[in-house]
Amino acid sequence: MVDPASFRVDYAINPHMTDAAGNLHRVDPVRAARQWDELRKTYEGLGYPVLVLPADPGLPDQVFVANPVLAGPHSVTGRLQFLPSRMRHKERAREPALCGEFLIGLGAEALRSTPQDVPLEGHGDFLWFPGRRLLLAGYGFRSDARALPEVAERFQARVLGFELRHPALYHLDTALVPLDPQTALFAPEAFSPEGLQLLTAVFPRLLAVPGEEATRFFAANAHCPDGRHVVIEGEAAATRGLLAKQGFYPIGLETSEFRRSGGSVFCMKLPLWPT
Ligand code: ARG
């Protein structure tokens, strides 16, 4: 995770960052720090130690560490591999190098990111299918469809593409949560008819986020690290109910300050264990 000390809303690069009058949201730093800390403690409580990358004062979105690199799965050598992102907006352009340096310091190996003008936003748009060398990839608003073959080649993985349709669900991680090899939670409004068909082919059990909980509460920006527990924005009550009914263990947390910037649970961590 990245220290939230520099987290602010200083510019608007997604529809969540402004209020109805078009003004940038204000963040309460004390509340943000408390919410971030609860997330960190939740992961630690589930048995995942958390490493913290220090905040750069000039990078207000750096706390969303799911975006600057695409990580894993571990190579045959057991070394973590990552592909640095190419952020669509210049405001976030410095994040990949900082995150990459930190990972190299841990012994990870950087894969070559072809220096071309094709945006690619890490785990914002690329989700590992649980336990397989298969990536589900979103494109349209942030990552460019032309990045998909490059990612497939670098990770020697299959990549299935989904065109994103809803501006409020601008990253795939705001619209889809792989829960286990059979099950995914998804926001139907984010996908094209072809995308919905592909999802049905990939996951035998698909759980649609009820009502408007995906766009209002980031219900589909949840994270299931172990096939059982689902860390999710607490306000998404109907989604929590649905998950519980299907046998999962939802853990509701407050992420309201981060939602003002267009992110919630999933965006705020980068998993470094084999997937
Ligand atoms: N303000 C950030 C941006 O627009 C939020 C990123 C949220 N991250 C995510 N993985 N969806 O880039």
Side-chain angles (χ1 to χ4, degrees):
M1 294 174 73
V2 172
D3 188 313
S6 300
F7 173 57
R8 294 179 308 273
V9 177
D10 280 0
Y11 46 78
I13 57 173
N14 73 57
H16 302 274
M17 299 175 87
T18 48
D19 62 20
N23 299 313
L24 292 175
H25 278 307
R26 262 172 207 278
V27 164
D28 176 339
V30 175
R31 188 185 288 189
R34 182 167 43 76
Q35 294 179 347
W36 182 92
D37 217 46
E38 283 302 318
L39 181 60
R40 180 175 62 84
K41 284 189 202 139
T42 300
Y43 280 121
E44 289 173 345
L46 289 171
Y48 301 102
V50 175
L51 303 176
V52 181
L53 173 69
D56 180 300
L59 295 173
D61 269 334
Q62 198 188 12
V63 72
F64 299 113
V65 71
N67 304 146
V69 306
L70 175 53
H74 287 203
S75 64
V76 276
T77 60
R79 232 173 129 194
L80 179 80
Q81 297 182 313
F82 70 93
L83 183 64
S85 295
R86 299 183 295 265
M87 306 304 287
R88 183 171 287 265
H89 299 97
K90 60 177 184 328
E91 292 87 343
R92 302 194 64 186
R94 286 200 298 121
E95 294 181 37
L98 290 175
C99 186
E101 263 169 46
F102 184 79
L103 296 178
I104 288 169
L106 298 176
E109 175 194 353
L111 299 173
R112 192 165 49 86
S113 164
T114 313
Q116 54 187 354
D117 200 17
V118 176
L120 158 73
E121 296 209 346
H123 292 285
D125 278 321
F126 292 83
L127 308 177
W128 286 106
F129 182 97
R132 282 177 59 187
R133 225 174 170 86
L134 168 65
L135 279 163
L136 310 173
Y139 61 87
F141 294 106
R142 294 297 185 83
S143 300
D144 190 299
R146 288 172 295 163
L148 274 53
E150 172 194 357
V151 170
E153 201 265 325
R154 294 289 186 281
F155 286 107
Q156 293 295 298
R158 252 190 101 192
V159 178
L160 299 177
F162 296 87
E163 188 187 353
L164 297 175
R165 289 283 175 90
H166 196 302
L169 305 172
Y170 58 94
H171 269 145
L172 185 63
D173 76 356
T174 65
L176 180 67
V177 191
L179 296 169
D180 65 28
Q182 280 72 46
T183 323
L185 176 72
F186 78 116
E189 64 270 44
F191 296 93
S192 66
E194 300 74 40
L196 291 173
Q197 222 168 25
L198 188 54
L199 274 185
T200 314
V202 176
F203 293 100
R205 186 164 59 141
L206 276 176
L207 311 176
V209 170
E212 293 179 357
E213 290 197 348
T215 48
R216 289 187 63 199
F217 303 135
F218 282 84
N221 192 252
H223 180 216
C224 181
D226 57 5
R228 297 177 69 217
H229 299 92
V230 186
V231 192
I232 184 169
E233 164 56 54
E235 279 200 74
T239 307
R240 285 193 286 115
L242 171 69
L243 290 167
K245 222 168 83 189
Q246 296 292 327
F248 293 94
Y249 297 85
I251 302 174
L253 295 181
E254 224 180 84
T255 61
S256 54
E257 294 304 313
F258 300 96
R259 283 160 45 204
R260 292 166 175 276
S261 182
S264 180
V265 169
F266 191 92
C267 315
M268 287 196 271
K269 55 87 198 81
L270 177 70
L272 301 178
W273 64 87
T275 40

